[in-house]
Amino acid sequence: MIACVATCYGFGLSLFPQIIPDMRRDLGFDYGFVGAVTGLVQLSTVAFALLGTWLVHRIGAARTVVASVSLCGLCLVSIPATGNIYVTACLLMVAGGTGASTFVPMIDLATRVVNTEQRGFAMSLISSAPSYGVLINSALVSAFAGSGHWRIAWYVTGGVTITLAVTVAVLFVRTGLFEETTGQETATAVGGGSPSLRAIMPWGALIFVLGFVNGMMPYPYLTYLSPFLREELGYSVGFASWLWATVGAVGIGAGFVVGTISSRLGSRYAMLACYSSFLIAGVLVVIDPSMELALASAIFFSLGFYPIYGLLPVYVSHRARPRLAVTVLGVCTVLQGIGGTTGNFFGGVIKTSTQSFGGIYLAVAVMALIAAVITIALPKEDRRVQP
């Protein structure tokens, strides 16, 4: 049930990148605007992550989840109703940000019902749940993009998200999650005292760098994938949509695969597997962006993309006590948002200055290699640390 809610994040995350060429044609914006908007969407996740954390302690995790999913749905159905690109940008920022205010309380709900040994597996499944949204969006884009009916895709996606919010609210009522006093329980469980970041150095600094890289590296790959395929390489809308469907389908299984690695070998090995997948994905596109290698690249990318965002919290939870872990993950969330903004902005700059998307995928490969080296340098996690 908790993992199902994360599907809405996939709606807001994947539809805009897939439908950029069609929206550009009708609304008249350039790739500098695309880079700025997608970067601001990542930056908005910082504010919504902080807001979500605050709301969890005020109204509870379950209510925060329902409110976030509902707001996401309302923004999605409003996007096609406006022809102003700046209003559209604001709606995209809010819709994208609600993914963070949904994910933060879901982590809270999951850690209260999942034991330490299975936490890596559970978090990998939750972070992979948006792949269902990607799969649905790819089908919608295939049906409506290229024919001037791209607005219908937004309406359908928004309607599904609102329906999901209502369904989840009913399920939460039936399971009694609305009665949980999350904030009070958490405060009691973690005890008093001010956590010190100095106590976790130097591995904490490496985690902060990975948080930044997790924002900067993967998102430009997705943001510019459809324009790269359709405008630079000349592939059809059908092939681009099929590639996105592959990303979603593989992402569904990736949670199980990487989650199993995390549970059996540890989150460090699972993180290394994800970064290795990113490295291979970027290299394949740089070597030859043929249809076959583009498909292989998308498969490797999706193997790492969805699970990686659940693995970093798992590692930190195994290395630090709860109050300190919350502080570390809060800093990582901010850095991830800044990294996403930076990556998407420079992705637009690369395209504008070189007139090609190829440099973006070379940068993805380089950043993935750096992240893999950092992961190897991380100390082994301690599963004896309990919440």
Side-chain angles (χ1 to χ4, degrees):
M1 179 175 61
I2 296 173
C4 181
V5 180
T7 302
C8 77
Y9 190 29
F11 291 148
L13 175 71
S14 68
L15 184 54
F16 180 60
Q18 292 189 64
I19 213 165
I20 283 174
D22 303 274
M23 294 182 68
R24 281 187 67 239
R25 183 182 61 247
D26 288 354
L27 301 181
F29 52 79
D30 58 18
Y31 280 107
F33 179 80
V34 172
V37 170
T38 52
L40 288 173
V41 168
Q42 292 305 312
L43 194 59
S44 72
T45 62
V46 175
F48 274 84
L50 296 174
L51 176 62
T53 303
W54 181 81
L55 287 174
V56 166
H57 292 288
R58 296 300 183 275
I59 64 175
R63 289 186 177 87
T64 303
V65 166
V66 173
S68 298
V69 177
S70 300
L71 180 59
C72 179
L74 292 174
C75 289
L76 293 178
V77 297
S78 299
I79 287 173
T82 177
N84 187 298
I85 60 174
Y86 298 105
V87 175
T88 299
C90 292
L91 291 171
L92 286 170
M93 288 176 61
V94 175
T98 55
S101 59
T102 301
F103 191 69
V104 168
M106 281 195 300
I107 293 176
D108 178 89
L109 292 172
T111 53
R112 285 155 48 195
V113 298
V114 179
N115 60 40
T116 304
E117 289 73 20
Q118 296 299 318
R119 194 175 298 162
F121 185 78
M123 291 305 301
S124 294
L125 290 182
I126 291 174
S127 60
S128 297
S131 59
Y132 291 94
V134 174
L135 196 60
I136 294 172
N137 280 343
S138 64
L140 292 174
V141 172
S142 179
F144 300 113
S147 60
H149 301 297
W150 56 267
R151 289 177 174 84
I152 298 177
W154 285 107
Y155 284 127
V156 173
T157 299
V160 171
T161 303
I162 293 173
T163 302
L164 179 61
V166 174
T167 303
V168 169
V170 173
L171 291 174
F172 281 176
V173 169
R174 291 182 176 180
T175 54
L177 287 176
F178 281 136
E179 280 67 47
E180 297 286 350
T181 54
T182 306
Q184 295 176 2
E185 291 178 355
T186 302
T188 301
V190 299
S194 298
S196 172
L197 292 177
R198 184 180 301 178
I200 64 166
M201 297 302 170
W203 70 264
L206 298 179
I207 288 295
F208 295 152
V209 174
L210 287 179
F212 180 81
V213 172
N214 284 352
M216 184 175 184
M217 174 189 55
Y219 286 105
Y221 183 104
L222 290 176
T223 299
Y224 299 101
L225 181 60
S226 286
F228 181 43
L229 294 172
R230 294 172 57 183
E231 297 184 3
E232 183 169 328
L233 301 180
Y235 296 140
S236 66
V237 175
F239 176 73
S241 299
W242 183 59
L243 208 64
W244 272 94
T246 302
V247 171
V250 174
I252 293 172
F256 292 93
V257 174
V258 178
T260 300
I261 295 174
S262 179
S263 295
R264 295 185 177 181
L265 302 178
S267 57
R268 283 192 314 148
Y269 288 98
M271 289 164 61
L272 185 60
C274 290
Y275 292 128
S276 298
S277 295
F278 291 139
L279 174 61
I280 295 172
V283 170
L284 288 176
V285 174
V286 173
I287 291 176
D288 180 18
S290 62
M291 295 180 70
E292 293 78 12
L293 289 187
L295 176 61
S297 174
I299 291 173
F300 277 105
F301 179 84
S302 56
L303 283 173
F305 177 67
Y306 297 102
I308 191 63
Y309 297 104
L311 294 174
L312 207 60
V314 172
Y315 178 84
V316 173
S317 71
H318 288 158
R319 289 287 305 178
R321 293 292 178 180
R323 285 186 68 87
L324 184 55
V326 169
T327 302
V328 173
L329 293 177
V331 175
C332 284
T333 301
V334 173
L335 292 174
Q336 182 177 309
I338 296 174
T341 301
T342 304
N344 280 317
F345 173 76
F346 280 107
V349 171
I350 290 173
K351 163 59 179 174
T352 302
S353 59
T354 66
Q355 298 302 308
S356 173
F357 293 99
I360 296 174
Y361 296 92
L362 176 60
V364 168
V366 172
M367 294 298 293
L369 179 60
I370 293 173
V373 172
I374 294 174
T375 302
I376 294 174
L378 287 173
K380 184 178 179 180
E381 65 261 43
D382 185 0
R383 298 195 183 194
R384 293 173 298 176
V385 177
Q386 296 291 333

